[in-house]
Amino acid sequence: MSDLNGTMIQYFHWYVPADGTLWNEVTDKAKELANAGFTAVWLPPAYKGFAGTFDVGYGVYDLFDLGEFNQRGDIRTKYGTREQYLAAIKALHSSGVQVYADGVLNHKIGADAPESTKATPFPQHDRLNPKRGLEDAKVYTHFYFPGRQGKYSSFEWHWYHFDAVDYNEYHKEEAGNTVYLLEGKQFDDYVALENGNFSYLMGCDLDFQNEWVRGEITYWGKWYLDTTGVDGFRLDAIKHISSWFFPSWLDELEKYAKKDLFVVGEYWTPDLGTLHWYLDAIGQRMSVFDVPLHYNFHYASKQGGNYDMRRILDGTLMQQRPYQAVTFVENHDSQPLQALESVVEPWFKPLAYAIILLRQEGYPCVFYADYYGANYQDRGHTIPMPSHRWLIDKFLFARKHHAYGPQYDYFDHWNTIGWTRLGNENHPGAMAVIMSDGAEGSKWMEVGKPNATFYDLTEHIQDPVQTNQDGWGEFRCKGGSVSVWIEQQSLKQTLTSIGTSFLENMSRSFLEILRR
C-alpha cells in the first residue's frame, strides 16, 4: 500500500484573465505540477455561466455546455473550449495527476424566458417571517438552452423546479433585498440556519425536494463522469443544499462509475460544531474544507507576535477530524476584494503552508495565486499577491520525500512552535520544522537521529545543526519565518534516487553542501 502524501492545487483564482487560455495552461503545466509534488488538481467550473466568457463559473447557466455551444455571447467559457478542457484533463492524467471538477449545483442564473406564477416575499436576512402574503410574480425561471437544442439532455427548467428566486418583475424596487418563495414550495430542510434558513443563496434556487430535479442532477453527474473522466468533485455551497441529498447522489455516481470518487464540500463557516454536525450527517461520504483553520491563519497574520501560536490548531478540523479535513491557506472567495475576504497576510503564508504541507493531518490544497502570484484591479484597488513558489516547492519536496512517520509536537511557546517527523520504513529520513510569528527562536526537538547533520531546506539559516547522541538537536528559525531541517544523509539519498534536474528552485550552493 502506498504511503505517498497527496497534495492538491486549486488551479485558478477569481481574477484569472478571461482570455480563454487557462485550459491550455493546465495542459502545458501538467508534467511540471506532477514533478513539483502535486497529486491532484482542482479545476474551476467548466460550464457556461450567465456572464459568458467573464463568468468565473459560479453563476451557472448550463451544466452541459462545457464551451461547445454559442450561448451567453460566445462558444468558449472564461477558461477555454470543451476540447481544451478535455485535453487538459487528459494531460494531467497522463502525468499521474488526479482531477477534481467543481460542481456548482445549488442554483442557476440567466434564464432564457420569464414565467408567471405566485410567490411569497421574505426579507433577504429573515427567511422565517414573510413581508407579505402570496402574490403575483413574474420570474426568470425558464431555461431551455436554445444554443444547445437538447443535445446531451432535453430537460427544460421551469419555475416549479426551483423553490425561490431573488427577482420579481412586478417589484423591481425590491431587487437585492427580497427572496421570493415560489407557490407551493418550502425552503430546503437540513441546511445552514443563518437568516433563519439559508437554503436560498442566489439566482434560481434548485428545489432538491423535487424528484425531477434530483433525477436531472444525478443524470448530469453520470454524464460528466463519462464525458470527462474526472476523479472527484469539489462541491460548491453545500451549506445551502439539504445534507441528505449528497450521500445518495454520490452512491449513485460511484455505483455507476465503478470507482471511488474523492469529494470535498465547501461549507463556509468558522464554527467547528456546525462542521461536525454536517460531517456526522453525511457520514464518511466526503471531506470539507477546514475553514476554522483558515481563520486561525487570518487572525495570526493580522496580530503578528501578539497571537498565541500554541493555539494555531485549536478549534480546527485538522486537529479534531483530520481524515475529513481539506486544509488551505487562501482561496478564490477569501482573496482580497471577494465576498468572504479574510486575507492571510503575505508574511505569514510561508508559516501557514508549512503547517498544512508538513504535518500528518489533513489533505492540503495550495492556492494558485499563492503559488504563481497574482496582480489585479477591481473596485478602484490594485491588488498584488506575491508568489510563494520558492518556498512552497521546497515544502512540496519535503512533503513528498521526508514528511512521514511519528510526529512529535513542541507547541510550548507563545511565538515559537515546532514539530518533528521521524520517518518510516519507506522514507527513513527525519525532519524538523520550526517557526516563529515573533522574534527569532530556537527549540530542542527530538528527531531520532543521533550525531546527524541537518540543513535548513528553506536556506533561511545557512549553518547546519548537529544532533546529540540521543537524537535531539537545537533547531532555529528567524523572526516571522519558518525553517525546515532535513537530515543531510537522507537528502543525499533522495537526490541520488530522483536526480536534481527538477529542483530548479534550489540554489546551487545548497546542492553543493548536500553533496559533501
Side-chain angles (χ1 to χ4, degrees):
M1 180 178 178
S2 173
D3 61 351
L4 180 66
N5 290 323
T7 309
M8 79 172 83
I9 182 171
Q10 177 185 352
Y11 205 87
F12 68 102
H13 67 97
W14 197 269
Y15 296 93
V16 165
D19 56 8
T21 63
L22 187 70
W23 300 147
N24 287 342
E25 180 184 322
V26 172
T27 299
D28 293 341
K29 298 284 189 181
K31 191 64 177 177
E32 180 181 293
L33 291 169
N35 287 341
F38 292 108
T39 58
V41 173
W42 157 22
L43 295 177
Y47 21 83
K48 194 69 59 70
F50 84 101
T53 56
F54 295 97
D55 202 299
V56 178
Y58 297 103
V60 183
Y61 168 68
D62 186 357
L63 289 169
F64 290 92
D65 184 357
L66 305 181
E68 181 180 4
F69 305 99
N70 192 351
Q71 300 186 118
R72 307 306 299 181
D74 209 328
I75 293 175
R76 72 169 177 87
T77 68
K78 178 178 182 177
Y79 310 111
T81 65
R82 180 182 191 268
E83 291 74 16
Q84 291 167 335
Y85 177 57
L86 298 181
I89 294 172
K90 183 177 180 180
L92 289 168
H93 281 164
S94 296
S95 299
V97 178
Q98 291 192 329
V99 181
Y100 305 146
D102 206 319
V104 187
L105 309 179
N106 177 73
H107 52 267
K108 301 182 76 66
I109 305 178
D112 301 303
E115 297 179 304
S116 294
T117 183
K118 292 183 181 294
T120 302
F122 285 78
Q124 180 68 254
H125 300 295
D126 182 1
R127 313 293 172 76
L128 300 179
N129 301 293
K131 286 183 171 183
R132 301 180 298 274
L134 192 66
E135 61 188 20
D136 290 336
K138 185 177 182 181
V139 293
Y140 287 83
T141 50
H142 188 191
F143 293 80
Y144 57 90
F145 316 113
R148 182 159 56 82
Q149 297 185 348
K151 188 174 182 180
Y152 306 131
S153 173
S154 60
F155 191 89
E156 292 188 13
W157 295 80
H158 294 279
W159 70 263
Y160 43 83
H161 295 122
F162 306 104
D163 52 36
V165 298
D166 60 359
Y167 182 78
N168 180 356
E169 186 74 20
Y170 299 144
H171 288 280
K172 296 179 181 179
E173 74 283 357
E174 293 185 332
N177 61 27
T178 303
V179 174
Y180 297 92
L181 183 65
L182 298 171
E183 183 176 19
K185 299 291 184 175
Q186 61 182 24
F187 292 117
D188 282 338
D189 55 6
Y190 295 91
V191 297
L193 298 180
E194 298 163 58
N195 302 326
N197 177 294
F198 215 2
S199 168
Y200 183 83
L201 176 64
M202 64 175 69
C204 301
D205 191 73
L206 271 63
D207 179 9
F208 281 93
Q209 300 186 69
N210 182 306
E211 63 176 324
W212 293 99
V213 169
R214 297 195 302 272
E216 179 67 359
I217 295 302
T218 300
Y219 168 76
W220 170 82
K222 295 175 180 178
W223 172 85
Y224 206 90
L225 292 173
D226 282 342
T227 302
T228 67
V230 295
D231 305 284
F233 294 92
R234 177 266 183 189
L235 296 176
D236 183 63
I238 59 173
K239 67 192 288 185
H240 309 281
I241 300 172
S242 297
S243 61
W244 47 258
F245 170 72
F246 286 115
S248 59
W249 184 71
L250 292 171
D251 284 345
E252 281 282 323
L253 264 55
E254 290 187 336
K255 180 179 179 181
Y256 177 79
K258 295 182 174 61
K259 67 177 181 180
D260 292 333
L261 300 172
F262 174 78
V263 180
V264 55
E266 181 226 10
Y267 196 116
W268 193 272
T269 179
D271 183 72
L272 183 63
T274 300
L275 294 177
H276 276 308
W277 164 81
Y278 189 83
L279 290 172
D280 287 343
I282 63 171
Q284 301 296 315
R285 302 304 293 115
M286 70 169 79
S287 299
V288 296
F289 289 102
D290 196 346
V291 177
L293 179 65
H294 160 74
Y295 278 104
N296 283 3
F297 293 155
H298 166 67
Y299 295 130
S301 76
K302 293 293 186 180
Q303 295 177 34
N306 294 318
Y307 187 88
D308 185 354
M309 288 292 285
R310 296 173 298 178
R311 308 289 177 238
I312 193 69
L313 301 182
D314 285 1
T316 68
L317 288 172
M318 188 179 196
Q319 180 190 66
Q320 297 189 24
R321 209 148 178 166
Y323 295 108
Q324 286 181 279
V326 171
T327 54
F328 70 104
V329 176
E330 198 93 79
N331 73 8
H332 61 291
D333 283 324
S334 69
Q335 73 179 100
L337 305 182
Q338 277 310 297
L340 300 171
E341 180 177 333
S342 44
V343 175
V344 177
E345 297 296 334
W347 75 270
F348 192 81
K349 283 187 175 178
L351 284 68
Y353 273 108
I355 288 172
I356 71 169
L357 290 171
L358 300 180
R359 293 184 61 79
Q360 65 185 359
E361 308 94 349
Y363 183 5
C365 180
V366 174
F367 184 39
Y368 180 103
D370 288 338
Y371 193 64
Y372 294 108
N375 290 277
Y376 55 89
Q377 293 182 331
D378 193 13
R379 306 177 199 172
H381 299 276
T382 298
I383 304 295
M385 293 185 68
S387 167
H388 297 277
R389 183 175 180 179
W390 165 263
L391 285 175
I392 291 175
D393 274 343
K394 292 176 182 295
F395 298 160
L396 289 169
F397 171 81
R399 177 174 176 79
K400 184 175 182 178
H401 299 287
H402 301 281
Y404 297 91
Q407 176 174 281
Y408 295 167
D409 287 343
Y410 300 85
F411 284 43
D412 51 8
H413 187 275
W414 183 283
N415 297 121
T416 305
I417 62 171
W419 64 91
T420 61
R421 304 293 301 274
L422 272 59
N424 62 18
E425 182 178 355
N426 295 326
H427 303 87
M431 177 181 71
V433 182
I434 183 170
M435 63 181 64
S436 173
D437 71 341
E440 63 181 282
S442 66
K443 194 176 294 293
W444 279 92
M445 298 190 291
E446 181 183 4
V447 288
K449 303 293 181 181
N451 305 313
T453 302
F454 283 72
Y455 283 96
D456 179 10
L457 188 66
T458 71
E459 301 180 72
H460 290 148
I461 296 176
Q462 298 298 314
D463 295 332
V465 167
Q466 193 77 19
T467 60
N468 63 21
Q469 62 183 7
D470 297 317
W472 287 71
E474 185 179 11
F475 298 96
R476 306 184 300 279
C477 67
K478 293 185 176 182
S481 183
V482 57
S483 287
V484 179
W485 297 89
I486 306 293
E487 183 188 4
Q488 181 185 26
Q489 187 60 36
S490 175
L491 270 172
K492 284 183 177 181
Q493 293 171 353
T494 300
L495 294 174
T496 299
S497 64
I498 66 174
T500 61
S501 60
F502 83 92
L503 297 176
E504 296 175 356
N505 286 3
M506 196 172 289
S507 71
R508 288 186 178 181
S509 61
F510 187 71
L511 291 173
E512 287 302 318
I513 290 174
L514 298 179
R515 293 191 179 101
R516 293 176 186 172

